[in-house]
Amino acid sequence: MTNPLLQVSGLTTLLGSEDRPVRVVDGVDLELRRGETFALLGESGCGKSMMALSLMRLLPPSGRITQGSVWLGNAELLALPEHAMRGVRGGRMGMIFQEPQTSLNPVLTVGRQIAEAVHVHGDSLPPGGGGAGRGGSVAERLSRRRTPERVLELLSAVGIPDPERRSGEYPHQLSGGMKQRVMIAMALAGAPQLLIADEPTTALDVTIQAQVLRLLKGLQRETGMAVLFITHDLGVVAETADRLAVMYAGHILETATVADFFARPAHPYSNQLMASLPAPEKRTGSLAVIPGRVPPLDRPFQGCRFADRCHRVMDRCRDQAPAWHTPSVGHQVRCHLWEDGEPTADAGSKASGAKGAVPRGEMGKTVLRVADLKVHFPIHKGVFRRVVGHVKAVDGVSMDLCAGGTLALVGESGCGKTTVGKGILRLIPTTGGTVRFNGTELTRLGGRAMRGYRKDLQIIFQDPFAAMNPRMLVGDIVGEGLQALRLEPNRAKRLERVYSLLDRVGMSAETADRYPHEFSGGQRQRICIARALAVEPKVIVCDEPTSALDVSVQAQILNLLRQLQRDLDLSYLFITHNLAVVSYLAHAVAVMYLGRIVERGTVAEVLDDPRHPYTKALLSAVPVIDPDQRREVIRLEGDMPSPSQPPPGCHFHPRCPEAGPECARAYPAQTRLSDTRMVHCVRVGD
C-alpha cells in the first residue's frame, strides 16, 4: 500500500476562551491516499468545516490547535511557520468553499481573481504553464505576460464556455454553477496535491451538481490529486467517494469504504442518517428522525457522544467511551454494540408506521387554479429609463392544486419557480393570466379586497433566518399575522394562540421569549411554519423549505408538513429541486424550464416514466445510493438561456440531446397523455 498523502493524528481544535473552550475537533485521526476521494459525513455542527479549516490553518481569531499532527507528504503542516504555510495554501492544498457568492470579491472580475491566485502560486505550476495536470514537474513561476493565458486555460479546464468573455465578468453576472466553477479554477491555480471541497454542491440544482461532480472527477483523473469531500448528502457520497468517515460532535464514529458503508452501516448514528432519507417506498409512513440535536461542544464528554440521541443506548454508553471495533476489513466503528460481536439488526433503519397525508391519487377538489400566468419584468435603459425589453420570468404557467394535496414545482434555479409562487400570492404584480382560489379571481382584486384572502394563502420561505426580523421575539413573529390581519386583537388570547402553535410544530412555550438567532436552522424553519399556520390558511407555498437542512432535520420538517396536512387539510405548492423529497411528499409534479411548464402529471407518471427530455435529464442527474437504481447521466451542455432573450421555438432545444430542426421553429403544443398528464415536446407524439 502506498504512503498516504495526508495523515492526521489526534487533531484537536478549540474555539473560544481558555476557561470554557469549545472542542470543535477532538482527537481526529484520518488518512487520505493520492488520487482518492475521501468523504467526511455528518450533520451541521459536527465539526466538518472546522476540520477543513484546521488542516488549512485558517481558523478564526479565537481558534487554536492544541494537539495532534497533520502531515502532507513529508511536511508537518502544524510545525510550519506562517510564511511557509502561505505557500501550502492554494499551492499544495486547494479549497473550495461552500458558498461561492460570499467567497468571491464582488468588485473584481473573475479573471482578475483567478489571476491573483496564479500570481501567488505560479511557482507550483508545470513548465510552460500548461493546464492543470497536463504533465510537467513543479518548476518556474509564471511571468505576468503568461497570466492572462493561464487564466483562460483554467476557465477552459473547468468547463466555462467562452472563457475570454467570462473572465471579464463580475461574480453577480454568473450563475451559481458558474461561480462554483470559478472557485474550482482558483483552487486549481497552484496545481494542488490535495483539494478540500466543503459542501461544494449543497445549494446547486441536480443538473449543475452533476456537472460540478463530473468536473471534479475528470480533473482528479488528469492530475492525480486527492479530494477531501465534506458533505451531508449521502447520495453524493455514494456516487463520488472511495472511502468515508462519519463525524459527530467533533469525533469520528465510523470509517469504511463507501461500498461497505452503504451495504452495512455499523453505527446507530449512521443507520439513523440513512433512515432519514426520503424515498418513494416510504410514502406510506413517516421518516425516521434523530431526536434532539448535536450536543454543545463546550462541555466534557464521559461516555458515547451520541448516547442522548441513540435509540439503542445502554447504561455503559453514558459512562464509558466506546473503543474502536472492526466489523470487516477496512471498516471501523466506535460503538459498544460491537463489543460482543455483530449486534442484532438496527431497528432504527426502518421508518415508522404512521400514515401519510393523502394516499396518491385520492386528493380532493381543486382549490387553486392557475391559468396562463405571466410575470414579466421590464428592462430599463438610458437616462430616461425607457423600456427596451422584458425578462419573461414566468411566461404562461397553468396548474391546478387540489385540496389536501401537494403539487411539487421542480426545475433548475432561474427557471421561475419562486416567481410563480410569489405571483400566485400577489406578492409581486402579474402581467397576465388568472389565479382562482375557490372560484375567486385573485389577480383582479385590489389591495383591500386581497387583504381578506391573505389568511388563506401563506408562504414558507427558503431561508428562515432571513425571513424573520432579528430584533423581534419569536412570540411576536408568530403572532404577527394575527395582529396584522386583525384576527385576534387581544394580546393575551393572541399569546395563548402562539403557545398552541409552537407546541403544534414541536417547540416549547418558552421559545416565544427568545430571538431567532438563538435557534438552529431546523428550529427556525419550525417557527416559520408556525407563523404561516397562525392565520389558519388553506394553501401554503413552500419555497425550498428543506434545501439547506441536514437529512435528519429535513426528515423532521417533512414529517411535520405531512402531519399538518393530514390534520388541517392543507394544500401545498412545494417548490424544490430535490426530487427525492418530491417522490416522498408530493402527489403531483410540474417540471418548469425557462418560465414554462414542460411536463406535468402525478408523481408516479412523471418520476417513473419521464417523457420530456428535460425531465429525463433532471432525473438522471439525481445521485442515488443503490447502484442498481442509477441511470446514465444525460449531460446538458451550457446553462439555461436568459429569460430576457429566450430561444426561438422550444426553449430547451439548444441544450436538448434529442433536438431536431423542427424544435427551433415553434414552441411545441401541449400533448395530453392522460387526464392528469401533459407534455410540451414534439418527440412525444412520434
Side-chain angles (χ1 to χ4, degrees):
M1 183 179 294
T2 59
N3 292 329
L5 171 66
L6 177 72
Q7 189 166 17
V8 181
S9 301
L11 184 63
T12 300
T13 302
L14 307 183
L15 296 179
S17 62
E18 295 285 350
D19 58 335
R20 193 174 181 180
V22 180
R23 302 176 74 89
V24 289
V25 179
D26 194 6
V28 168
D29 301 326
L30 61 85
E31 290 185 354
L32 186 56
R33 304 173 191 131
R34 299 176 190 275
E36 90 168 328
T37 298
F38 189 97
L40 197 57
L41 187 65
E43 296 172 280
S44 294
C46 285
K48 305 188 302 297
S49 293
M50 291 307 302
M51 175 71 185
L53 294 176
S54 298
L55 297 180
M56 298 285 286
R57 286 175 53 184
L58 287 174
L59 296 171
S62 65
R64 56 204 179 275
I65 297 173
T66 59
Q67 294 179 22
S69 63
V70 178
W71 287 87
L72 182 65
N74 58 3
E76 217 297 47
L77 300 187
L78 302 187
L80 292 180
E82 178 58 28
H83 69 84
M85 192 64 197
R86 291 194 196 104
V88 174
R89 298 189 201 105
R92 297 182 65 187
M93 296 174 68
M95 186 164 181
I96 307 169
F97 294 94
Q98 179 173 355
E99 179 48 69
Q101 181 63 45
T102 58
S103 301
L104 294 171
N105 191 327
V107 299
L108 296 180
T109 65
V110 296
R112 172 77 177 276
Q113 296 183 63
I114 297 173
E116 288 182 346
V118 171
H119 292 158
V120 173
H121 303 290
D123 54 350
S124 63
L125 292 169
R134 291 187 173 88
S137 59
V138 175
E140 72 221 31
R141 176 177 296 277
L142 278 178
S143 68
R144 290 188 178 268
R145 286 186 307 171
R146 277 276 299 140
T147 298
E149 182 181 344
R150 176 61 179 159
V151 169
L152 298 184
E153 288 174 347
L154 286 167
L155 288 173
S156 297
V158 298
I160 291 184
D162 195 1
E164 289 190 22
R165 178 173 64 87
R166 292 295 189 180
S167 67
E169 293 183 341
Y170 292 86
H172 73 272
Q173 296 176 278
L174 305 180
S175 66
M178 287 280 193
K179 285 194 281 278
Q180 196 62 283
R181 287 168 183 264
V182 170
M183 289 295 300
I184 295 173
M186 293 173 65
L188 294 175
Q193 297 172 304
L194 171 63
L195 180 65
I196 301 174
D198 186 8
E199 300 272 14
T201 63
T202 296
L204 301 181
D205 305 315
V206 289
T207 52
I208 305 300
Q209 173 180 265
Q211 292 175 16
V212 171
L213 294 177
R214 185 169 59 244
L215 169 65
L216 288 175
K217 275 294 183 186
L219 293 169
Q220 193 174 20
R221 283 193 300 268
E222 292 179 15
T223 64
M225 68 181 177
V227 176
L228 177 61
F229 201 101
I230 297 171
T231 184
H232 59 252
D233 191 323
L234 292 166
V236 169
V237 172
E239 290 201 358
T240 62
D242 303 302
R243 293 188 301 130
L244 61 80
V246 179
M247 194 168 186
Y248 184 80
H251 222 38
I252 300 294
L253 299 183
E254 184 171 0
T255 62
T257 64
V258 165
D260 199 13
F261 176 81
F262 286 107
R264 190 176 60 163
H267 198 281
Y269 178 56
S270 305
N271 273 282
Q272 289 185 265
L273 284 177
M274 298 272 285
S276 299
L277 293 173
E281 61 270 17
K282 299 178 182 179
R283 283 182 62 89
T284 57
S286 297
L287 298 173
V289 299
I290 306 176
R293 56 190 296 186
V294 178
L297 303 181
D298 59 351
R299 64 179 177 87
F301 292 97
Q302 184 173 353
C304 175
R305 302 177 183 216
F306 187 59
D308 290 341
R309 305 175 71 192
C310 183
H311 62 290
R312 307 193 69 179
V313 65
M314 302 177 289
D315 290 341
R316 58 184 165 179
C317 297
R318 303 188 186 280
D319 303 324
Q320 180 183 349
W324 282 106
H325 301 278
T326 306
S328 60
V329 177
H331 193 163
Q332 290 190 301
V333 61
R334 199 192 301 249
C335 180
H336 287 302
L337 290 172
W338 289 86
E339 289 178 1
D340 301 320
E342 184 171 354
T344 56
D346 189 348
S349 63
K350 307 295 183 183
S352 69
K355 293 183 178 180
V358 182
R360 191 179 294 175
E362 296 183 15
M363 293 174 287
K365 66 176 184 178
T366 299
V367 65
L368 187 71
R369 175 157 288 168
V370 180
D372 199 30
L373 182 67
K374 297 179 181 179
V375 181
H376 297 175
F377 298 104
I379 301 173
H380 299 280
K381 193 173 183 181
V383 177
F384 297 102
R385 309 293 293 163
R386 293 182 297 109
V387 175
V388 296
H390 288 85
V391 175
K392 298 179 180 180
V394 180
D395 196 25
V397 165
S398 299
M399 63 177 71
D400 292 342
L401 178 60
C402 296
T406 299
L407 171 64
L409 187 60
V410 303
E412 295 172 284
S413 294
C415 71
K417 303 187 303 293
T418 297
T419 306
V420 167
K422 291 181 177 180
I424 289 172
L425 299 181
R426 299 285 308 279
L427 297 178
I428 55 176
T430 58
T431 307
T434 60
V435 178
R436 293 185 178 275
F437 171 71
N438 284 335
T440 301
E441 171 51 61
L442 300 182
T443 59
R444 297 178 183 174
L445 298 181
R448 180 172 296 182
M450 185 63 201
R451 186 184 182 91
Y453 288 91
R454 291 291 180 199
K455 68 178 295 295
D456 295 317
L457 304 164
Q458 288 291 300
I459 186 169
I460 302 169
F461 292 100
Q462 178 175 358
D463 185 346
F465 191 67
M468 292 187 284
N469 189 330
R471 295 181 179 87
M472 291 178 64
L473 293 170
V474 166
D476 294 328
I477 291 171
V478 174
E480 189 175 15
L482 294 170
Q483 183 177 14
L485 297 177
R486 299 172 185 172
L487 300 176
E488 184 52 78
N490 185 281
R491 178 172 174 77
K493 291 183 178 180
R494 190 165 63 245
L495 195 58
E496 183 178 338
R497 171 72 172 153
V498 167
Y499 292 154
S500 174
L501 288 163
L502 291 172
D503 179 68
R504 178 175 282 277
V505 299
M507 304 289 286
S508 63
E510 65 180 18
T511 301
D513 297 322
R514 296 164 65 185
Y515 290 92
H517 73 270
E518 299 180 70
F519 299 93
S520 67
Q523 290 174 317
R524 286 196 285 263
Q525 198 61 283
R526 287 173 179 266
I527 293 168
C528 287
I529 293 172
R531 177 175 60 182
L533 292 175
V535 295
E536 299 181 349
K538 301 294 189 297
V539 174
I540 299 180
V541 175
C542 303
D543 187 9
E544 301 271 16
T546 63
S547 64
L549 303 180
D550 300 321
V551 291
S552 56
V553 180
Q554 173 183 267
Q556 296 174 14
I557 298 302
L558 293 178
N559 285 344
L560 174 61
L561 290 173
R562 292 191 69 168
Q563 178 71 35
L564 293 171
Q565 187 173 57
R566 183 172 71 246
D567 294 346
L568 304 176
D569 198 31
L570 293 171
S571 301
Y572 297 138
L573 175 61
F574 200 95
I575 298 170
T576 185
H577 61 251
N578 190 329
L579 294 174
V581 170
V582 172
S583 68
Y584 169 74
L585 186 70
H587 303 92
V589 57
V591 182
M592 193 170 182
Y593 185 82
L594 205 63
R596 298 186 178 183
I597 302 295
V598 297
E599 184 166 1
R600 188 175 68 239
T602 66
V603 167
E605 289 172 334
V606 175
L607 299 192
D608 296 345
D609 181 29
R611 304 298 296 275
H612 195 281
Y614 179 58
T615 310
K616 296 176 185 178
L618 285 180
L619 290 171
S620 74
V622 177
V624 295
I625 292 173
D626 187 352
D628 296 332
Q629 296 182 4
R630 290 175 189 164
R631 315 181 191 204
E632 183 179 354
V633 177
I634 300 172
R635 299 183 62 170
L636 297 182
E637 301 299 333
D639 289 312
M640 187 183 300
S642 170
S644 63
Q645 294 179 319
C650 174
H651 292 349
F652 185 59
H653 87 265
R655 303 173 70 195
C656 181
E658 302 178 27
E662 67 277 17
C663 298
R665 297 189 190 117
Y667 195 84
Q670 173 179 295
T671 300
R672 184 166 289 279
L673 304 178
S674 70
D675 291 341
T676 55
R677 185 84 182 275
M678 57 74 67
V679 184
H680 284 275
C681 181
V682 296
R683 293 279 182 251
V684 173
D686 292 349

